[in-house]
Amino acid sequence: MSLIQFIKEKQFSVLLNLIALLIILMIFYLYGANVSLIILVTIIQFFFFLCSMIIEFYRMKKYYDELMDVFEQLDEKTFIADIVKEPSFYSGQVFYQVLKGATKVMNDRIASLKNAEREYHDYIELWVHEIKTPITALKLILTNSRTKENLPIQAEVSKIEEYVEQALFYARSSTLNQDYKIETFTLESIVNQAVKSLSLSLIRANGKIETNHLDLNVTSDSKWIVFILKQIIDNSIKYRSETLKISFSARKIENGTVLKISDNGIGIIESDIERIFNRGFTGTNGRDYAKSTGMGLYLCKTLCEKLGLLIKAESQDESGTTIKIFFPDRLNILN
């Protein structure tokens, strides 16, 4: 609180005191009071009024400055009423009681929402684990009776499995700090895992994989990185041209390593490139070429941010897409 703000707040009080002082002085003057007495009364009245205003200003300023300092330092702003002291002046006490009441209601609602979110998260994880059982059984049946007619069914079952996995990773993305394992591994190992997982889809798409300089080590969570790569590969399959080619290459740069994934697909139009990592954004090609949910690249971006990685897309319409992932030498994991 500044002095100007305080004066503006007390302007009516100051005005009324000035009017009262003028009335008293006029009465003294009309009754023929001595000029020295009038001046003395004016000085005494002004002195005590000024002292009261100064004391009130510093008392309020001290309290509100401390309140703002505490508020700015708090990570959980909703705890402010439990930490700040009750003020000694009445107007502040009223504000403090209102703040405590409102904070309690808000914290109760936040706790209720967090509980509901936790229950929903637990249900999604349980559902995913339960649904995996019939999917695995169905894949086993199709494998044991492998025929030409069953290949399309196998591919669709694989898609179902991918979407189920996407739902699981989306549910876990909000609690990444409880579900990650940081280790050092080669880019070649995780690329191979991702490609192998999508081998059936790549075969159906007549896809060709090229790798170059993937023997570099990076540090992150391999499970989450494989998931990110699978989303990128899946996009390349969805938006492929007649002959699909996906290339993986890596190079060491200052402070980290860059993994580049390029395809020769239909590309991304210029007006969409800045929005492809937005949640639910499908873009022009997503609506025209494939049934897209707009969640794959959003999850890639979210997980990369939480893992302390950077992800960037480069593309031109009809000329393929390149995704670059930067693995820093020093990780900064977000909770």
Side-chain angles (χ1 to χ4, degrees):
M1 171 179 278
S2 67
L3 180 60
I4 295 175
Q5 290 172 327
F6 178 77
I7 293 173
K8 284 182 179 179
E9 183 179 328
K10 298 294 182 180
Q11 57 185 342
F12 292 109
S13 176
V14 173
L15 182 61
L16 288 174
N17 273 275
L18 288 174
I19 293 172
L21 180 61
L22 288 173
I23 292 172
I24 291 171
L25 294 178
M26 287 178 64
I27 292 172
F28 278 167
Y29 178 76
L30 291 174
Y31 279 90
N34 188 283
V35 175
S36 299
L37 177 62
I38 294 174
I39 294 172
L40 180 63
V41 169
T42 302
I43 292 173
I44 293 173
Q45 170 72 14
F46 181 75
F47 174 76
F48 281 103
F49 173 72
L50 184 62
C51 286
S52 67
M53 294 292 285
I54 291 173
I55 291 171
E56 186 175 3
F57 168 69
Y58 279 105
R59 185 171 56 175
M60 294 178 68
K61 176 179 172 56
K62 181 182 178 183
Y63 176 75
Y64 287 121
D65 285 352
E66 288 178 356
L67 177 66
M68 291 305 300
D69 287 342
V70 171
F71 182 76
E72 289 173 359
Q73 293 174 16
L74 274 178
D75 292 328
E76 292 290 341
K77 307 297 186 185
T78 55
F79 294 155
I80 182 68
D82 298 324
I83 297 175
V84 71
K85 297 178 181 178
E86 185 174 0
S88 57
F89 50 96
Y90 178 73
S91 61
Q93 291 172 354
V94 173
F95 160 76
Y96 177 77
Q97 293 301 323
V98 171
L99 179 64
K100 283 204 74 170
T103 302
K104 184 181 183 305
V105 172
M106 180 170 55
N107 284 331
D108 288 345
R109 289 184 179 178
I110 290 173
S112 177
L113 288 171
K114 283 185 176 180
N115 186 55
E117 182 184 15
R118 185 163 50 251
E119 290 179 355
Y120 177 74
H121 174 270
D122 292 342
Y123 168 75
I124 290 295
E125 286 210 6
L126 177 63
W127 179 86
V128 168
H129 287 299
E130 291 294 330
I131 203 69
K132 277 185 175 182
T133 302
I135 291 174
T136 303
L138 187 56
K139 289 180 70 177
L140 185 60
I141 293 169
L142 291 170
T143 302
N144 291 335
S145 58
R146 184 171 293 179
T147 63
K148 186 177 180 180
E149 290 76 14
N150 282 345
L151 287 177
I153 300 175
Q154 283 182 293
E156 295 305 316
V157 171
S158 295
K159 285 182 182 179
I160 293 172
E161 189 174 33
E162 291 299 321
Y163 283 125
V164 168
E165 185 183 40
Q166 191 180 82
L168 178 62
F169 274 78
Y170 178 72
R172 288 180 175 175
S173 64
S174 59
T175 56
L176 178 62
N177 58 318
Q178 302 171 13
D179 187 42
Y180 66 83
K181 180 183 178 182
I182 300 302
E183 55 189 347
T184 300
F185 48 85
T186 64
L187 289 171
E188 184 177 20
S189 65
I190 59 168
V191 169
N192 288 340
Q193 288 181 56
V195 170
K196 183 178 179 182
S197 179
L198 294 175
S199 58
L200 187 59
S201 297
L202 287 167
I203 291 170
R204 290 194 68 206
N206 295 318
K208 181 182 178 182
I209 302 296
E210 293 182 354
T211 60
N212 191 24
H213 298 302
L214 297 182
D215 55 343
L216 299 176
N217 288 330
V218 295
T219 301
S220 191
D221 184 301
S222 60
K223 179 181 67 176
W224 293 82
I225 299 302
V226 168
F227 174 78
I228 291 170
L229 294 180
K230 285 167 66 176
Q231 300 305 304
I232 297 171
I233 296 170
D234 186 59
N235 271 3
S236 295
I237 295 172
K238 283 180 183 176
Y239 306 115
R240 64 184 182 273
S241 54
E242 291 183 3
T243 303
L244 173 63
K245 184 175 74 174
I246 307 175
S247 63
F248 297 85
S249 61
R251 61 189 177 95
K252 185 72 178 175
I253 62 172
E254 185 179 0
N255 300 323
T257 303
V258 174
L259 172 63
K260 185 168 72 171
I261 308 104
S262 301
D263 64 41
N264 62 339
I266 60 175
I268 304 168
I269 64 173
E270 186 177 353
S271 59
D272 288 347
I273 194 69
E274 296 296 327
R275 302 167 62 194
I276 61 171
F277 292 110
N278 293 350
R279 179 180 176 179
F281 180 75
T282 57
T284 302
N285 291 337
R287 291 185 291 270
D288 294 343
Y289 287 85
K291 293 181 180 179
S292 176
T293 62
M295 295 299 293
L297 288 179
Y298 165 74
L299 280 173
C300 292
K301 179 77 170 180
T302 301
L303 297 178
C304 281
E305 288 177 348
K306 289 181 177 290
L307 288 169
L309 313 180
L310 297 175
I311 186 168
K312 181 182 178 182
E314 298 174 355
S315 181
Q316 291 181 355
D317 195 19
E318 301 294 339
S319 62
T321 301
T322 296
I323 303 291
K324 294 180 180 179
I325 302 175
F326 173 69
F327 295 83
D329 292 332
R330 298 184 63 182
L331 286 179
N332 182 23
I333 306 294
L334 298 179
N335 292 329

